[in-house]
Amino acid sequence: MIRFGPAGIPLSCKGRTLKDGIEDVHNLGLTAIEIPMVRAGTVERYPEEEEIGLCIKDLEEGLVVEIIRDDTPVCDPKEPIENDDILVMMASGVADSYASLIPMGKMAKRLDVKVSLHTPYYMDLGSNNELTERCLNNIRHAGIITNALGGDVVVTNLGLYDDADDTEGTDANIIDNVTEIMGWWKDAGIKTHLGIEITGRLEAFGSLEQVLSLCGEADGVVPVLNFPHHHARTNGSLVTPADFTDVLNAIAPYCKGSIHTLFSGVEHFAGNERRLTPIKKGDLKFEPLGEALADLGQDVTVISGSPLLEHDAMYMKVIHERVLTKRVIKAMRAKKKDEAAVFGEEEEE
């Protein structure tokens, strides 16, 4: 199945909550939504007296994502809160409370809308400084939230090369940090995959080769194919259906189930993305991808990262359906032609 959806709550959606966004995506005939984790800051507080003995999943006010107990994070939503615990609460999250995440996830499943989440766009897992620690926490919290929603992937990039003379050191730090976070991921019982996104600038970790190499080294990590980013990094390499097929086939062995992708137009120069654009602008066209998807035979989610969000998601869906319809008509015509030839041969006999 090929799914299409926006990177965020649809622009046309009257409400601005995640619940509104999921319902609106379904009403538009789309089947996916990627939630941007725009404001990922957290605050810590002690539990109120009435919260003692309750669990994170029972709290109806504030998106509490984990407990700090004896300096150790505890993310089990069924773990009772104790007097000396510290509650970690997202200052501005994707929902009002943890309690609201599970029913929203069930609603998305009922409406056949696949949910994913994107971590903050500026990440730094290569410097091993105070910012790196915050980024690791962002990834952990994204995993907790997406797991509660029943989402299939947390999408993240991993950071820039701050020191051009020590790229190997940055790469080593990134590999160590991703391996560490995936160890926690497994211990915490997070079923959601961590998706490493291809990035659109040469000074950032995230070429196709780097992403696939990392996915081969760290368990539980999958590649996320950002088409405009790859197109920019490779100086406009995605032109024909075969170009798209090649890159899809390259990442497919590393994906667990569906292939997660993002598409939009893009302006680029000298291997670097300048900005994402509506699909009809720029030199990256969806039509060849539509042809490639029709031949792929594998589940793919295509998220619209275009400024037009749901408009371009619906445009891609229409183009893809048009490709499939043409193929069905062509096959039916060929079948009728074959049947007519057989019938003609029988009459001659």
Side-chain angles (χ1 to χ4, degrees), residues 185-248:
W185 208 268
K186 183 178 180 180
D187 292 342
I190 303 294
K191 297 179 181 179
T192 300
H193 300 305
L194 179 62
I196 309 302
E197 184 176 26
I198 293 175
T199 56
R201 299 191 66 82
L202 298 176
E203 71 262 33
F205 180 97
S207 68
L208 174 64
E209 294 75 17
Q210 287 175 321
V211 169
L212 295 185
S213 176
L214 180 57
C215 291
E217 292 191 41
D219 291 337
V221 177
V222 298
V224 171
L225 180 48
N226 187 311
F227 287 108
H229 286 176
H230 180 70
H231 187 68
R233 283 188 79 117
T234 54
N235 296 298
S237 67
L238 298 176
V239 179
T240 68
D243 296 330
F244 286 96
T245 298
D246 287 345
V247 70
L248 284 164

Side-chain angles (χ1 to χ4, degrees), residues 260-301:
H260 194 83
T261 73
L262 181 141
F263 197 91
S264 72
V266 62
E267 292 180 0
H268 59 95
F269 178 75
N272 292 301
E273 170 208 329
R274 284 182 165 175
R275 68 185 182 102
L276 300 181
T277 69
I279 289 176
K280 292 183 180 180
K281 295 186 177 181
D283 63 348
L284 180 61
K285 305 299 182 184
F286 179 75
E287 287 79 3
L289 175 56
E291 295 283 350
L293 292 174
D295 291 327
L296 190 63
Q298 188 166 346
D299 292 343
V300 179
T301 299

